Amino acid sequence: MTTISICTLAHGREDHLRNLVSGLNHSQRPPCELVVAVMQDHRYDLPSTSFPVRQILLGDKGICLAEARNTAAREARGDLLIFLDVDCIPAPRLVEDYAVAAAFNEGVLMGEVGYLPKGATDRGIDYAVFERLAVKHADRAGPPRGMVGKCGDYRCFWSLNFALHAATFRAIGGFDPRYVGYGGEDTDFGRAIVSKDIPLWWAKGAKAYHQYHKHHMPPVHHLDSVVANAQIFAEKWGEPTMQHWLRAFRLMGLIEPDGVGGWIKLREPGESDLALTRQQEHQPYASSSLVLEQLEAQASRGSAASRAPAIAAA
């Protein structure tokens, strides 16, 4: 039987991680282990499990997300690796769904994700409640009709819930640790997948429930790293990435093109920028698309207003 390792990384977020572990305790097929790349200087106090939990202490000296994921994968002993973000709670069939899909399909599998509103986990793990309250992200494709469905756009790869064989992870080369801070490392990994002709699949089931936490989209609080990582991606692959975020930042007056393919930072984000992008408590997730639509509409109104005097004068 295929051995399966769950890989995650954590900095703070102890309640989220404890819920992830509690979710694994409800698995119809328990993993052979959980590997946690601990991005702080002390280990977590976690619920007891029927499977080993190995905490790899990395410290809090600026280890990037890519390097932490690579460490978890390198330390994992399973044939199949399932990566979950620390704020994900696996459904009882997640491990089994991935095991079955991976047995019949080579490549990288991306399971379903349901986004939970604030308070959904206050009474612990209750999958009936989760299923009733969870919503699909509007920017993500729905589940395929069959066991898997081909994903035709590498930019759809998100690392919060995916699985692949350990040998496939090594063939891809892992995550590129040059992406420091937030932004770009997932898209880079997706681009590396297709560059090596490795199939990228949507998987039916393999569901994780994303726990609510406040966030900003587009991630204006990570302006510097998004701009820097976009440049790394462009130099590496010869094409741009995170264009919707960069477009939003430009409309907000935070950056402007430097004329040679990069960006110039004009100012630090202010409270109005944070208020515009902040996830509201009634929203299960923050949406870049909605913010960008607002900014585009404002830009269109401003452009129309600037043309009006000239039209009147004519």
Side-chain angles (χ1 to χ4, degrees):
M1 181 177 290
T2 300
T3 54
I4 301 174
S5 296
I6 307 292
C7 299
T8 193
L9 55 152
H11 177 265
R13 304 282 191 91
E14 182 162 358
D15 288 342
H16 283 167
L17 181 58
R18 290 180 64 86
N19 285 338
L20 184 157
V21 175
S22 295
L24 287 174
N25 277 334
H26 287 79
S27 291
Q28 294 180 10
R29 175 177 176 174
C32 71
E33 63 176 352
L34 167 65
V35 181
V36 185
V38 180
M39 303 172 69
Q40 57 190 34
D41 58 7
H42 61 277
R43 291 179 171 82
Y44 291 91
D45 179 18
L46 298 176
S48 59
T49 63
S50 63
F51 49 86
V53 176
R54 295 193 292 124
Q55 300 192 49
I56 313 301
L57 201 61
L58 302 180
D60 58 356
K61 304 303 182 184
I63 298 295
C64 69
L65 301 180
E67 189 174 348
R69 289 195 181 95
N70 291 344
T71 298
R74 186 171 58 249
E75 294 288 337
R77 297 164 181 164
D79 304 316
L80 182 68
L81 308 180
I82 298 175
F83 285 82
L84 293 173
D85 273 2
V86 68
D87 50 17
C88 287
I89 300 173
R93 284 195 54 84
L94 177 139
V95 175
E96 178 64 17
D97 286 346
Y98 270 136
V100 173
F104 292 95
N105 301 277
E106 291 295 329
V108 180
L109 301 154
M110 296 183 294
E112 298 178 39
V113 179
Y115 286 80
L116 297 173
K118 185 178 181 181
T121 61
D122 287 353
R123 296 187 178 182
I125 305 300
D126 188 329
Y127 288 108
V129 171
F130 294 170
E131 192 59 26
R132 186 175 74 250
L133 297 178
V135 298
K136 184 185 78 68
H137 199 295
D139 296 336
R140 304 293 282 171
R145 293 183 179 181
M147 179 185 295
V148 297
K150 192 68 177 290
C151 176
D153 188 344
Y154 71 85
R155 294 172 299 179
C156 292
F157 175 79
W158 284 356
S159 61
L160 78 168
N161 175 21
F162 75 102
L164 75 177
H165 286 100
T168 304
F169 188 88
R170 292 191 294 270
I172 295 169
F175 287 83
D176 189 335
R178 289 180 295 172
Y179 293 91
V180 177
Y182 190 90
E185 79 277 0
D186 278 8
T187 311
D188 179 271
F189 192 79
R191 183 67 177 80
I193 291 169
V194 300
S195 74
K196 296 181 180 295
D197 294 322
I198 294 171
L200 180 60
W201 305 101
W202 300 110
K204 190 177 185 66
K207 191 168 187 175
Y209 297 93
H210 181 274
Q211 302 174 71
Y212 174 90
H213 60 88
K214 291 184 178 180
H215 197 50
H216 293 270
M217 275 294 158
V220 68
H221 54 317
H222 294 298
L223 174 65
D224 291 338
S225 64
V226 168
V227 170
N229 289 345
Q231 188 65 37
I232 292 172
F233 187 96
E235 292 172 356
K236 179 177 179 178
W237 297 108
E239 57 189 76
T241 190
M242 298 185 284
Q243 289 175 282
H244 57 312
W245 291 352
L246 295 170
R247 171 66 176 164
F249 295 160
R250 185 179 184 184
L251 290 172
M252 294 165 75
L254 298 171
I255 59 175
E256 67 178 10
D258 63 5
V260 291
W263 298 90
I264 298 171
K265 181 179 176 181
L266 299 177
R267 63 178 178 85
E268 294 289 342
E271 180 51 41
S272 62
D273 305 307
L274 295 171
L276 176 65
T277 60
R278 183 179 295 120
Q279 178 181 0
Q280 302 302 310
E281 291 188 355
H282 66 279
Q283 297 171 328
Y285 61 86
S287 173
S288 294
S289 298
L290 293 178
V291 173
L292 187 55
E293 288 174 7
Q294 294 179 46
L295 291 168
E296 294 283 10
Q298 292 172 9
S300 296
R301 289 194 296 268
S303 177
S306 66
R307 291 196 304 270
I311 295 173

